[in-house]
Amino acid sequence: MKNLKLKICGMKDPENISEVVKLQPDYMGFIFYEKTPRYFDAEIPEIPSAIKKTGVFVNEEIDVILEKIKKHDLNAIQLHGDESAAFCAELKTLLMETPLEIIKVFSVKDNFDFNRLEEYEAVVDYFLFDTKGQNKGGNGITFNWEILKKYPSEKPFFLSGGIGPEEVEEIKKLKAYFQQNGKENLLYAIDVNSKFEEKPGFKNVEKLEKFVKWF
């Protein structure tokens, strides 16, 4: 869909990564969190500069984040834990000389207090809404997207949480809602992961290829 980016997250196997790269997603996510089966501890194979390498962190120390950015030449970082606005502000200051994007994740179920976003407005580039579940991402279930119609911010966001081919029509409806209300750029990107996996960290390229054609 026009003006909608795609992020493929939870990449792990180098050969699988190289195959997924051919689909030219806008973002590719690597999870640097040891408590997930998608934990990435390899070398990232060569990736075209048009694809933004995104490091996913959960309550990690700033020094570790900076080390991973340097090691893997990351283009974006996704903070998937309980990181405070002050933490994000410090990180943003340290990264001031680099064109690196900061994405802050918020977990959602049936409702959400959007007032929580206010203190993050000036210190992150995007918000990401994921499903609140047992795991820090990759739960394979969607949340109630209707609450996003109450989204008060002007900051673009990523939509995540159990998104697969079955959700395409609902994504179209949500995108159309924002377009009709003069806010077509708020729904910035779709973030997919577990619905396209053969096993944790290994994506079904054929299934992804069909999904990518929709974009």
Side-chain angles (χ1 to χ4, degrees):
M1 181 178 287
K2 185 179 178 182
N3 297 329
L4 193 57
K5 306 293 186 183
L6 176 64
K7 175 172 174 280
I8 300 175
C9 200
M11 301 306 303
K12 187 174 180 179
D13 179 83
E15 289 187 14
N16 188 229
I17 291 168
S18 295
E19 288 298 309
V20 172
V21 159
K22 296 175 184 177
L23 303 178
Q24 299 180 314
D26 300 284
Y27 293 79
M28 185 172 281
F30 304 90
I31 302 175
F32 300 107
Y33 178 58
E34 293 184 10
K35 295 181 181 180
T36 173
R38 300 176 183 88
Y39 172 60
F40 185 81
D41 61 353
E43 293 294 326
I44 299 177
E46 187 172 347
I47 290 177
S49 59
I51 300 175
K52 295 181 180 179
K53 291 179 286 186
T54 305
V56 181
F57 301 92
V58 179
N59 300 325
E60 188 56 88
E61 298 291 333
I62 282 183
D63 287 348
V64 175
I65 295 176
L66 295 176
E67 184 271 327
K68 295 295 185 185
I69 290 171
K70 184 177 180 180
K71 178 179 179 180
H72 297 288
D73 193 23
L74 300 178
N75 308 110
I77 55 172
Q78 180 175 314
L79 303 175
H80 215 301
D82 305 309
E83 298 87 3
S84 67
F87 180 94
C88 295
E90 182 179 355
L91 196 52
K92 187 177 181 68
T93 299
L94 291 169
L95 297 171
M96 196 171 292
E97 301 301 318
T98 65
L100 192 141
E101 298 173 359
I102 300 177
I103 305 163
K104 181 66 185 85
V105 178
F106 293 90
S107 297
V108 183
K109 195 171 184 182
D110 298 320
N111 50 61
F112 182 74
D113 179 9
F114 286 107
N115 291 325
R116 292 176 56 194
L117 305 180
E118 189 172 351
E119 61 179 333
Y120 291 88
E121 288 277 354
V123 294
V124 304
D125 297 287
Y126 301 100
F127 295 127
L128 183 152
F129 297 107
D130 195 7
T131 306
K132 183 181 290 186
Q134 183 176 356
N135 304 311
K136 290 287 187 180
N139 289 287
I141 53 176
T142 58
F143 63 90
N144 178 16
W145 293 355
E146 282 295 308
I147 67 171
L148 294 174
K149 294 180 179 180
K150 299 177 182 179
Y151 183 66
S153 175
E154 293 300 318
K155 189 172 292 294
F157 66 87
F158 288 65
L159 178 61
S160 187
I163 294 175
E166 303 82 5
E167 281 66 47
V168 166
E169 292 306 314
E170 290 304 313
I171 293 170
K172 287 181 180 179
K173 290 178 184 177
L174 187 61
K175 185 68 174 175
Y177 170 83
F178 285 115
Q179 288 175 327
Q180 291 162 8
N181 286 274
K183 298 180 177 182
E184 62 179 320
N185 295 322
L186 285 185
L187 177 51
Y188 172 74
I190 300 299
D191 184 1
V192 302
N193 190 349
S194 58
K195 284 285 188 74
F196 292 91
E197 288 185 331
E198 295 180 9
K199 60 182 180 180
F202 194 95
K203 302 299 186 286
N204 183 311
V205 178
E206 184 178 346
K207 193 173 181 181
L208 270 174
E209 187 174 18
K210 293 178 182 177
F211 186 75
V212 167
K213 287 179 181 177
W214 172 66
F215 285 78

